[in-house]
Amino acid sequence: MQKPTLPKGTRDFGPEQMRKRLFIFDTIRKTFQRFGFQPIETPSMENLSTLTGKYGDEGDQLLFKILNSGDFAAGLTEPDLAAGSKKITPKIAEKGLRYDLTVPFARYVVMNRNDLTMPFKRYQMQPVWRADRPQKGRYREFYQCDADVVGTDSLLCEAEIILMIHEVFRNLTIQDFTLKINNRKILAGIAEVIGVPGQEGTLSVAIDKLDKIGKQKVLDELRERGFPDDTIVKLEPLFSFDTLDANRLLDQLTNWLSESETARQGIFELNETLQLVHQYGLTDSRVEIDPTLARGLSYYTGAIFEVKANGVSIGSVSGGGRYDNLTGAFGMPGLSGVGISFGVDRIYDVMDELALFPASSGQGTQVLIVPFDREARAKALPLSSELRLAGIAAEVYPDLVKVKKMLDYANARGILFVVLIGSEEVQTGILSLKNMVTGEQHMITAEELVNRLR
Amino acid sequence: MQKPTLPKGTRDFGPEQMRKRLFIFDTIRKTFQRFGFQPIETPSMENLSTLTGKYGDEGDQLLFKILNSGDFAAGLTEPDLAAGSKKITPKIAEKGLRYDLTVPFARYVVMNRNDLTMPFKRYQMQPVWRADRPQKGRYREFYQCDADVVGTDSLLCEAEIILMIHEVFRNLTIQDFTLKINNRKILAGIAEVIGVPGQEGTLSVAIDKLDKIGKQKVLDELRERGFPDDTIVKLEPLFSFDTLDANRLLDQLTNWLSESETARQGIFELNETLQLVHQYGLTDSRVEIDPTLARGLSYYTGAIFEVKANGVSIGSVSGGGRYDNLTGAFGMPGLSGVGISFGVDRIYDVMDELALFPASSGQGTQVLIVPFDREARAKALPLSSELRLAGIAAEVYPDLVKVKKMLDYANARGILFVVLIGSEEVQTGILSLKNMVTGEQHMITAEELVNRLR
């Protein structure tokens, strides 16, 4: 018999991991809700016509496709076979697994456009699938937690996203993080001012690598990509900004990019957003303006956000930005929105590495009841009901076995308290409560037990 | 441009539905946890070698298969094409979407056998996929919520499942339900006693239809399936039991099936389980013994459970039973367990039809702040922060538009309270609170507002 295995790039989550993950999900969900975001869920499968062409050629290849049901190969011919996999795919697969939550959200908005109240604030916490090559920290199935507001271009939304990021990480007790913020219009302005208007895409791809490869190699890459030498010289100020003083940085950007109307608009938006954040009363802000932040640009047209935890070398744990044309691909142009995505897997890694999970998040059952015999069990059962009624997670060891075996179970499961019921306890009605960590044991009434554990 | 659509048999869940669904999930999860069940999650994809052959031929055909990534058709030949879809599938698809939570759980147990503490109590709440023909109430993607205990054959587990079912439905405020219970060994005993030993499977398939087609047609079917006339005559008592008096029914079964050792064991188990439930202190029990209950039998070897809500014509909302050989197909024989599965979609339908969702479960944002102008907005922002800090879901309307438009938004979103901030409120610092249902409006301080909404 073959031993069962997992498909590569996928994972099981055991109880301890799950409890920690649920703590993260719960924290994010509650924060989203407090800010008025509403939950939606979309199906795991989408028509390939919905997904294809939205993530570039590379993305299309990373889509998991679902074989049509029934006699899928009936229409396949020898010439099809000769034409190869790419040509065969659309004939045998109509559906694919969602690749992110953004495209399904766009589809949802378009299909429900007549019923949605704008501005529409939604959040969505579901797994996505990518046929990426698995490697450390990269999986083929992982969760995204997205919140977006569409149908308004108010900068209040940018400000609220900044607040929400602070609240999520503080509620997770990740105190030490940096929230970098930029604006696509500033990047566009830089491209204009140095003399390569419209080429902020190429510029960003190179600049995105600054942390990894350093300034010199970024400039080399730009040169290779056809940026004339004089444009590269003009880029110099970008590498010498003081990113720790927001006002000073905004002044420097204003001076440098004064010729560009687009840049001025971007700087205005950035400044206005930070003013609003200040009005909301955010204290101990972790916001840092970074005019090199691009996040691959993709569909961002305004604000760009990225969050990293300090003190660990784990990539970004959250990112997002404003876009102008979420639903254009589905025939509904001009819908503006701004969103943020939290990466649960990386947040988990950060919290694990920094030992930030509260003890209670790893905890399952609070108390195990250990009856020594049948008679004791008759006392154990109503006691367990009483505890559960009080909201306490309680178990009765189901088999009548040696007491040591039951205590071993409590230890292995990490159950802190054990209630021992032997003949003495049956007679007196007083219970024996044992703390499995300290070993302390003392007598207690059922009522005291409930009050203590509640 | 083509209008986007959803794959057939799949659904989007909008905010109101989602909030109600989350209420159901949350209720079930909390109950599972109180009974000491621990969360696990398994990947959506499993190797087809894990899934195939576990659900019968029909089940195999209902598996969604995932096309291999990359150049999947490279190894396909013309003879393959001629051999047809069934032969081609294993060459181009290695993975499938999970069909239920039981087989992935069995795989998990086998892969983690050395690390699990037995008895192992796990719960799992995840979607499953079936390429069934979509119809009313049947979808291709739906959630299952399962709880199982493996590694013990203690009847305490059966009793706790009965308690847990009562707690779940009562917490959902579904008060009026019937929990039918039977035991595979009683069905086996009936087959023995009427003279067709070992044929309880065929017997059950026919009897399962009793509610739908009536006694006469059930007997006709058995005759067609080769049950001799004298066996069918002997079946007569089965149709005349008084299922409302458990003790009387157990007596009648004992008399009828006295020759069968297996039946006696089944009756003992049933009786013992009910005694234990009584010891736990369950009041107003909804348990009803039904010696015809079979639930397709499949892998059940002991107790069989099924729950239906009364007063609605929606199928079973929960079902389960004991099995002896969960992991045998993966080379780990003899692992006994008992489990229960809750069907969220049907529970939703029941609660919707009976209007049982609490008002709070449909509620999102509690209060919308409506600033009349920029100056008012400067007051609105810190107020929203204060409300959120107190755990209140609050929104500020993001654009400065006409007040009527903002009130329309509150109405469309079902937000009960609106705080109006105009020039007067800015001057006095006193807020104007409007109840959108009653239309009442009165002045209130920020402090009073927080206390009132919290």
Side-chain angles (χ1 to χ4, degrees), chain B residues 196-228:
Chain B
V196 286
Q199 296 205 43
E200 69 269 22
T202 316
L203 185 64
S204 313
V205 169
I207 289 178
D208 249 359
K209 301 175 190 160
L210 190 59
D211 280 353
K212 279 186 195 150
I213 62 177
K215 174 181 161 188
Q216 210 44 56
K217 287 200 172 144
V218 167
L219 298 183
D220 290 348
E221 180 171 331
L222 288 173
R223 223 172 266 116
E224 274 165 39
R225 288 179 180 274
F227 277 45

Side-chain angles (χ1 to χ4, degrees), chain A residues 10 50 84 102 128 200 206 214 225-226 245 261 300 336 376 393 401-402 424:
Chain A
T10 70
T50 298
T102 305
V128 301
E200 68 267 23
R225 288 179 181 274
D245 183 337
E261 167 64 34
Y300 298 129
S336 184
V401 293
K402 290 209 172 110
E424 206 186 307

